[in-house]
Each structure stands twice: as C-alpha cells, then as structure tokens.
Amino acid sequence: MKPDCEILKHFDEKYISSLVNRLLPLWNVPGESEDFNRRYVEMIIRTNMHINDMQFMMTEKSAGKVDSEESPAGGDAVTDCQLKSIAFAAAKSDKSDGSWFFKFLEDASSRERNIFQTGRRYLNYMEEKTFSLMKNDDVKLCLFVSLERGWGSRILSEAVKEFKARGYKNMFLWTDCECNVQWYFDNGWELLSEEEYELFSRETGGSGEKTDDDRKKYMTYIFKKEINDD
C-alpha cells in the first residue's frame, strides 16, 4: 500500500486559498489591490478546472497539527493535511463550469470586470487552440503547481501513470513567456506552436515610428509529450 503522500487525490476546493497564496506573487495585476488580485488568481485557477475526475492533488500530514474542522465530535483528533502540489488535466471533450465567473463580476467595477474578462478570454483562447491540436486519446495538463520543492515532479510522475492507465497517448500543455519555457525543451517536450498574443504585447523605446524591435512581444507556446507508445 502506498504512503498517503504518494496517493493522487481529487482536488478539494478547501485548498483554493493555499493555491492562491502560492500563485499570488506570480499572477498579480500590477497596481491592483490584494483583494482584487486574490480574486484574479482564483479566476485563473477555476478556469483551469474541468468537470471530470482528473483534478489531482497531493497532500502530506502535518505532525503535531490538528484540523479541528475534520475532527469528529467526541472522537479522536484528525491530523491536518497540507496541500503540496496539484495537477489539473482535461480530455479534448471535457468542459469547465463557468457559472462561478458571473459571481466574480457582481461586485466588480467596470474596470475590474474588463480585467477579469480580458484574462479569461486569453485563457479560453489558448485552451481552445490547444484542444484543436489534440486527438481524443490525448490529455491536456491544464494547471501544474508545486507548493514545495520536489512535489511537482512527484505529482507529475503519478499523474502520468494515471493518464497511461486510462489509455492516453500524448500529453499537451500551453505556457507563455512569463514561465521558464526552456524547461520544457530540456525535459523532452516537443514545441508545436509559438505565437505572439498581441493584446498582451507592449511598446518599448521612445517616441517616433515604432518597429517590431520596439515591441516586447508576449509569446505563447504549445507543447506535446508522448507518454504511451503501446
């Protein structure tokens, strides 16, 4: 029997806050409040969640800590589990539940709504583009996050075993220039698409006529990796 820390579990939304804490420094919108940025990061996380049973997480029991919410009344205390990593995946036919998105817009100003909608439009565009390159026996790695060193490779290894057991042949993902793109080349991923997302590109340099050299291009990438050659 595997130790608990090596078991893939279905993601529990009670850990959303832990994920937001980890990703907030990476995905925040400059100049916006912390409250807005927390909601923005949660929007990105939820956009990458699909209606399926491939929203994986790994946790580890924390010695000496007690989760009072999970302790049964009158029973023994339950040791708290800390989130260590997540891997959300989707098949080509899987859909996400977007009903939560309208709740995010209810109390937002018109400017905040525009930021939310622009970000989500980008995420949806890249997902649809990635799905268009996939076959029915391929799987897309939608979101992959390690909250502690070493746990990223651990959950990815276990997730790939699960994908192979389900008959998936190739794993796809997309990323952009804000990430360490070289890592994918160094770890056996094949580049399928490299494209500028012009809306997020920005002008650099002084005044006067602009050329391509005066723009910082916001580049996107779609990768593929074979996981099952049977």
Side-chain angles (χ1 to χ4, degrees), residues 40-170:
Y40 185 79
V41 171
E42 184 174 347
M43 180 274 293
I44 296 175
I45 294 169
R46 290 187 180 278
T47 300
N48 282 285
M49 298 172 69
H50 292 71
I51 306 172
N52 62 27
D53 60 350
M54 293 193 293
Q55 313 306 298
F56 300 128
M57 71 174 185
M58 278 187 164
T59 61
E60 184 178 49
K61 291 181 178 179
S62 303
K65 292 187 177 181
V66 173
D67 187 342
S68 59
E69 294 181 359
E70 294 186 7
S71 298
D76 295 330
V78 178
T79 305
D80 183 26
C81 287
Q82 291 187 338
L83 181 68
K84 294 298 183 181
S85 55
I86 62 100
F88 297 165
K92 184 172 184 176
S93 59
D94 288 339
K95 306 296 182 183
S96 58
D97 178 10
S99 60
W100 55 267
F101 184 66
F102 299 101
K103 296 179 181 178
F104 275 62
L105 302 181
E106 286 178 357
D107 300 322
S109 67
S110 58
R111 179 181 54 79
E112 290 174 337
R113 289 181 183 182
N114 182 60
I115 296 173
F116 275 130
Q117 291 169 334
T118 299
R120 191 158 186 253
R121 193 177 302 120
Y122 167 61
L123 297 173
N124 288 339
Y125 169 77
M126 289 305 302
E127 173 158 289
E128 290 170 7
K129 184 177 179 182
T130 305
F131 279 155
S132 73
L133 299 175
M134 293 168 54
K135 297 179 180 178
N136 291 334
D137 57 358
D138 294 328
V139 64
K140 174 177 176 281
L141 188 61
C142 304
L143 188 61
F144 169 51
V145 179
S146 173
L147 283 75
E148 190 172 306
R149 187 175 181 84
W151 284 86
S153 57
R154 189 178 300 184
I155 195 171
L156 186 58
S157 175
E158 293 300 316
V160 168
K161 291 177 185 177
E162 181 65 23
F163 298 153
K164 293 174 70 172
R166 298 186 185 204
Y168 292 115
K169 303 297 184 184
N170 302 286

